[in-house]
Amino acid sequence: MDYRKYISSRVKEVEFSTIRHFFNLVYQMPDAISLCIGEPDFVTPSHIREAAKKSLDLGKTGYTPNPGLPELRKAISDYLKDRFNLNYNPESEIIVTIGASEAIDVALRTIVNPGDEILIPTPSFIAYKPCTLLAGGIPVFVPTFPEDEFKLKKNVLEKYITKNTKAIILPYPNNPTGAVMTKDDLEEIAEVIEKYDLLVISDEIYAELTYGVNHVSFASIDGMKDRTITINGFSKSFSMTGWRLGFIAAPEGLAKEILKVHQYSVTCAPSISQYAGIEALKNGMKDIEEMREEYDKRRKFLYGSLIKMGFDCFEPKGAFYIFPSIKKYGISDTEFAERLLKEEKVAVVPGSAFGENGEGFIRIAYSTSMDNLKEAVVRLENFTKRLK
């Protein structure tokens, strides 16, 4: 039976994840080192796990309100105020989601009409394009460059705005480059947003993972809160990927419409995860600090090792990725990654997976142990010596 005729044209446009392709290959190689998945190697802190267990023991296993437990929304509101100087009403401007991934999806489905253009800086997270397509929008890719530290630049951004542009996704700190945007950088972008009357979806899932710089939330820029849907979550900062817990903070006029899509899509985030989230926000700031310090050690080691090997490499300031250029080796990033996995059993992701502007780079995740990174560096050096 030919099922293709039954499949939505929007779904047909979406491709499977290149990251998952390499991740699946690693499963066939028990002695391979995987540097391809952006998942913390830390176990969720014990006090957070105990809070979830307690909720189970107390039988708190039913539905919660669609936007999330009131206590969790209040904790999120307090967290945003304390950490990023953002003021959101927990009763009407915060929605708890099934990870930041659902938050991205429902935000786009709420604002996009067929034919609306969504600006996406590239390289960036692979899900933005398919989520835009599935919402009926048109993804428009705005390039960023290593000479600009992969920051989005005002003069480049304006070239891609048309009468059909509805919004821009701001993915900082950035996956895959590790780039961050300062307050001055964001203020320049804010001028463009206001000039062309655009909305912003600010994906700040890596907000707690910055090194030597403080994260600035786009909604904290003068005049931008009313135009911004802020997305964040627990996966990266608290090492809670499997709990699938994220949130949206947005002006009431946007939040109440997003809530419609959320409630009919998933009803609510898992109750158990929400109780864990309350504990994380109330007592988990020290956990973040300890994990961030360890990531920073790995970042410095990996960056220094790549420079010593002769890679052209931007020094990342956020997230837990590094994005070296492999152009000098004269092969494509896909061939580089495939051969590195086959010949040295080290898995990385081709930069082209993150958009055309990522071609000629590879993404290495340092969300793994220092022992793994040290061995991976040895194998990578052996591999590149053979390419010279």
Side-chain angles (χ1 to χ4, degrees), residues 26 28-34 344-346 375 379:
V26 171
Q28 303 169 27
M29 300 180 180
D31 52 347
I33 298 174
S34 178
E344 293 291 342
K345 296 185 178 180
V346 175
E375 177 60 26
R379 298 184 188 185

Side-chain angles (χ1 to χ4, degrees), residues 10-291:
R10 292 180 182 175
V11 173
K12 288 179 182 178
E13 286 187 81
V14 174
E15 299 175 351
F16 282 100
S17 166
T18 303
I19 298 174
R20 285 292 166 178
H21 168 70
F22 279 89
F23 180 75
N24 292 336
L25 289 177
V26 171
Y27 262 74
Q28 303 169 27
M29 300 180 180
D31 52 347
I33 298 174
S34 178
L35 307 178
C36 62
I37 294 294
E39 179 172 26
D41 62 320
F42 301 100
V43 176
T44 303
S46 59
H47 65 100
I48 298 175
R49 287 182 277 131
E50 288 300 321
K53 292 177 186 177
K54 183 178 179 180
S55 74
L56 283 172
D57 291 340
L58 294 174
K60 296 181 178 180
T61 57
Y63 292 127
T64 74
N66 293 135
L69 290 167
E71 187 180 357
L72 177 55
R73 283 181 279 141
K74 176 62 165 59
I76 291 169
S77 177
D78 292 343
Y79 165 77
L80 291 174
K81 174 61 178 176
D82 292 343
R83 300 292 287 174
F84 310 117
N85 195 31
L86 298 174
N87 293 290
Y88 286 99
N89 185 333
E91 296 181 5
S92 59
E93 296 184 315
I94 290 174
I95 301 169
V96 180
T97 59
I98 300 182
S101 295
E102 189 226 334
I104 294 165
D105 178 45
V106 295
L108 285 166
R109 285 200 282 153
T110 299
I111 69 171
V112 170
N113 289 314
D116 283 346
E117 294 177 352
I118 304 298
L119 302 180
I120 304 172
T122 181
S124 63
F125 182 43
I126 61 173
Y128 301 140
K129 175 184 176 181
C131 284
T132 299
L133 290 170
L134 291 171
I138 300 171
V140 176
F141 300 103
V142 183
T144 63
F145 305 98
E147 55 266 32
D148 296 323
E149 298 182 336
F150 289 108
K151 295 179 180 182
L152 180 63
K153 291 297 182 178
K154 174 182 177 181
N155 62 321
V156 178
L157 174 60
E158 285 200 272
K159 295 177 182 178
Y160 291 84
I161 295 174
T162 74
K163 61 182 178 61
N164 296 319
T165 305
K166 170 68 72 70
I168 179 171
I169 297 174
L170 277 184
Y172 294 95
N174 182 266
N175 169 17
T177 65
V180 300
M181 298 276 280
T182 66
K183 183 178 180 181
D184 289 343
D185 297 327
L186 294 175
E187 285 175 342
E188 288 192 1
I189 300 303
E191 293 175 7
V192 179
I193 299 304
E194 187 166 13
K195 178 180 178 181
Y196 293 96
D197 192 24
L198 304 179
L199 290 176
V200 175
I201 297 175
S202 186
D203 183 357
E204 303 180 21
I205 190 65
Y206 295 99
E208 290 290 356
L209 299 181
T210 59
Y211 314 101
V213 294
N214 291 323
H215 173 71
V216 179
S217 183
F218 189 73
S220 70
I221 303 299
D222 288 347
M224 289 299 108
K225 181 187 173 185
D226 290 343
R227 296 181 176 274
T228 303
I229 299 168
T230 300
I231 290 171
N232 207 324
F234 296 74
S235 292
K236 314 299 183 179
S237 54
F238 293 103
S239 193
M240 293 176 64
T241 51
W243 300 81
R244 307 314 302 132
L245 192 64
F247 59 86
I248 284 173
E252 183 175 353
L254 289 172
K256 69 178 182 180
E257 302 301 325
I258 295 171
L259 183 59
K260 293 179 187 176
V261 185
H262 169 74
Q263 70 176 9
Y264 289 120
S265 298
V266 301
T267 304
C268 63
S271 59
I272 302 163
S273 298
Q274 291 192 53
Y275 286 108
I278 292 169
E279 172 64 20
L281 290 177
K282 287 188 173 181
N283 299 304
M285 292 301 112
K286 185 178 179 181
D287 301 316
I288 292 177
E289 183 178 345
E290 291 174 354
M291 287 186 277

